[in-house]
Amino acid sequence: MNNRMENMKRLYRIISNIVITMVVTVMFAFVWEKWLNVLLDRPFLTLGGTTMIVIYMVIAIFFIHGFGGYEIGVSRISHASIGCALASFIVNFLMMVFTVMMVGYRRLVPGIVVAYLELFLGDVLILFIVTYFLTWLYRRIFPPYQMLQIHGEHVNNLDHKMGLRRDKYVIAETVMDTAPFTKIVERIDKYDAVLINDVPSELKNRILKVCFDRGKRVYFTPKISDIIVKESEELNLFDSPLYLSRNTGFSLAQRIAKRTIDIILALIGIILTSPVMIVVAVMIHSYDKGPVFYKQERYTIHKKKFMVIKFRSMIVDAEKNTGARLASENDDRITPIGRLIRKTRIDEIPQFFNILKGDMSFVGPRPERPEIHEEYCQRVPEFDFRLSVKAGLTGYAQVFGKYNTTTYDKLKFDMIYVQKASILLDLQLILLTLRVVFQKESTEGVDESGKVR
């Protein structure tokens, strides 16, 4: 029964992806044939028009996938809708530039821009309706998993986090890991899935084997060693299975490609955001006549120190009396302008210059202050592992975590990136970062004490 249900879910997602793709493609085909094609000096005939539509569809698939717009039934409606909207904006912008280059008549440019703008607005509206309906229907057809939680002695909020997605998970019962194993097995049989929450490794392995035998899906938080082993390479040299964990990071060719991409994107970013930087600089200086930029010492690869550049979002000498601490949810040190630029991530834009200089990469672990990094290491010694790659403007922890995500969970995200690092992953994380800007929960501060956790 479980297998059949999972296959039905996969089929539903495939059909949903096809529907979303066809919606944007058909809308472009209509606009192309109705308005855009007639603007050409020599309008495309059937084959040429079909080629344009196919090109649009391929680009749309790439960006919708990159922004997470196809995650029907997986992510929140808002996340999928934002992903589709961002994909539509980029695809229509690229096609608009392409069309303008083909037409070549300046007097026709305003008409082309208006046509693509209307197409974009139509995409946003229709895709939101389609995404909302497909997600609503998914939740009606496929009820959430009824889950058994097997909990260890340490208290954490993993069950609370899963409880926020009651459309997907319902923790119906909790059993402590001290219960007799026969009772645990008996309870496993009554539920769709099992959540292993902070259970000793030996018991976790026994539970995993039972769940495998019964075809039950299992959720558990990985340890650092699990993440390191996950990306190991299979070797078939002997008559015994052998895994190789290289732990070497990027190859020389990848490092050259990554640095080249960093330089190109940093230059493009500086050029495109220069008007924004000028306006923000004037606003910050006008508010309290203080400095526009804020420089702070941070760690990058192999604990090399550098001065990160950000727009100042706090009052002058914000840490004069408090010392180094993270911003809290309602931190009175943050200025009104600072709240705006922090919420929209505009305060991070000057780091393009750090990337251009080579102190940072576009993608990598968040650069931490030395004193805060050392404080983390006192409680989590493995926190040093994340510095095996260059610090980044965005990364796994920045995309999938929050500002107030716990230290250990941030480390796990960063270690996933360290182990999976590739140019393709970097490009995907850069795209997802644009979606994160529109997600309010990603900028939540730490608790009111401002202490690291």
Side-chain angles (χ1 to χ4, degrees), residues 198-451:
D198 190 39
V199 168
S201 296
E202 183 180 349
L203 178 59
K204 182 180 79 172
N205 292 337
R206 294 179 69 188
I207 294 171
L208 284 171
K209 292 173 184 177
V210 169
C211 291
F212 179 84
D213 182 54
R214 285 161 168 74
K216 302 285 185 179
R217 74 167 42 208
V218 184
Y219 297 84
F220 64 93
T221 54
K223 299 183 183 300
I224 299 299
S225 56
D226 294 329
I227 296 171
I228 293 174
V229 170
K230 183 177 180 293
E231 299 301 320
S232 298
E233 176 185 349
E234 179 184 340
L235 296 181
N236 295 301
L237 302 177
F238 316 106
D239 59 351
S240 296
L242 188 65
Y243 277 3
L244 169 63
S245 184
R246 294 186 183 277
N247 305 318
T248 54
F250 286 100
S251 65
L252 177 60
Q254 286 178 317
R255 289 199 298 271
I256 293 172
K258 185 175 173 69
R259 181 62 186 142
T260 302
I261 293 172
D262 283 342
I263 293 172
I264 294 172
L265 292 181
L267 288 171
I268 293 173
I270 291 169
I271 294 170
L272 293 180
T273 61
S274 55
V276 176
M277 286 196 280
I278 292 171
V279 172
V280 172
V282 171
M283 290 172 63
I284 293 173
H285 184 70
S286 299
Y287 176 74
D288 58 8
K289 308 302 179 185
V292 170
F293 297 107
Y294 180 63
K295 294 184 179 181
Q296 195 176 68
E297 191 174 64
R298 299 286 178 101
Y299 274 156
T300 185
I301 186 170
H302 305 318
K303 284 195 173 182
K304 292 179 182 177
K305 295 180 180 179
F306 74 102
M307 300 301 292
V308 72
I309 308 171
K310 302 175 71 173
F311 279 124
R312 181 173 60 86
S313 61
M314 294 188 176
I315 59 175
V316 179
D317 295 330
E319 295 182 339
K320 183 177 180 180
N321 299 319
T322 62
R325 67 182 179 96
L326 297 178
S328 60
E329 187 66 28
N330 298 302
D331 203 316
D332 57 7
R333 300 174 300 164
I334 303 175
T335 65
I337 296 169
R339 293 192 185 282
L340 172 63
I341 63 176
R342 288 171 73 94
K343 186 175 293 187
T344 55
R345 306 295 180 92
I346 291 175
D347 62 321
E348 309 278 357
I349 290 178
Q351 290 173 51
F352 287 147
F353 294 101
N354 287 120
I355 296 171
L356 191 61
K357 185 181 177 183
D359 295 326
M360 295 172 60
S361 176
F362 243 94
V363 181
R366 174 186 170 86
E368 293 290 356
R369 301 173 65 173
E371 53 268 48
I372 291 179
H373 179 96
E374 299 304 332
E375 184 179 343
Y376 285 159
C377 287
Q378 288 179 8
R379 280 173 290 158
V380 187
E382 299 93 340
F383 201 73
D384 268 340
F385 292 175
R386 64 199 290 278
L387 295 180
S388 59
V389 295
K390 193 178 292 186
L393 177 61
T394 187
Y396 233 83
Q398 295 93 311
V399 168
F400 298 109
K402 303 177 184 178
Y403 183 79
N404 60 1
T405 298
T406 63
T407 306
Y408 195 48
D409 283 339
K410 282 182 180 178
L411 172 60
K412 288 178 182 179
F413 279 129
D414 288 331
M415 286 303 299
I416 291 173
Y417 174 74
V418 168
Q419 291 300 103
K420 293 176 63 175
S422 69
I423 301 302
L424 187 60
L425 178 61
D426 279 10
L427 295 176
Q428 183 182 12
L429 291 173
I430 290 171
L431 291 179
L432 287 174
T433 300
L434 296 177
R435 190 182 75 176
V436 169
V437 171
F438 296 93
Q439 297 171 202
K440 180 182 183 297
E441 66 268 21
S442 65
T443 60
E444 294 172 356
V446 297
D447 58 35
E448 290 300 320
S449 69
K451 294 179 180 179

